[in-house]
Amino acid sequence: MNIQIFGKSKCFDTKKAQRYFKERRIRFQNVDILKYPMSRGELTSVIRAVGFDAVIDPKHPDAKGLSYLAYDEQKLEHLLEDPRLLRTTCWR
């Protein structure tokens, strides 16, 4: 199994996930989304699994603007352009 953690380097939840896997000696790959943004395919896969509302960080100042966009494709473009809009907490 190949586990990837998409997160931000200074995010508490990202560090918590890394610690969880390290303590259990489970191999994982850490991807800092601010340095290496998710590809369209990766982001589409995550959105398909959890939905748009789960991946958007409600604390980000521009998050409310995304709710006014009519099409999911426009929302996806904004998320790809600005990865800071992505929520890095656990998605359920």
Side-chain angles (χ1 to χ4, degrees), residues 31-87:
V31 180
D32 186 352
I33 60 173
L34 299 179
K35 289 182 183 177
Y36 307 103
M38 295 174 82
S39 70
R40 177 180 292 276
E42 290 167 334
L43 185 55
T44 303
S45 176
V46 171
I47 290 171
R48 209 176 308 128
V50 298
F52 262 108
D53 294 335
V55 299
I56 298 171
D57 185 3
K59 296 177 185 174
H60 193 280
D62 296 336
K64 287 189 179 186
L66 286 178
S67 64
Y68 294 112
L69 296 175
Y71 301 107
D72 288 345
E73 187 63 31
Q74 292 174 327
K75 293 177 185 178
L76 180 66
E77 288 300 322
H78 280 284
L79 291 173
L80 289 170
E81 289 172 10
D82 188 4
R84 294 175 295 156
L85 284 166
L86 292 171
R87 178 185 291 182

Side-chain angles (χ1 to χ4, degrees), residues 12-28:
F12 174 75
D13 289 318
T14 300
K15 290 179 183 180
K16 188 166 62 171
Q18 292 170 348
R19 186 172 53 249
Y20 175 86
F21 290 114
K22 283 180 184 176
E23 288 173 355
R24 287 156 182 79
R25 294 189 175 112
I26 298 172
R27 296 182 65 181
F28 65 93

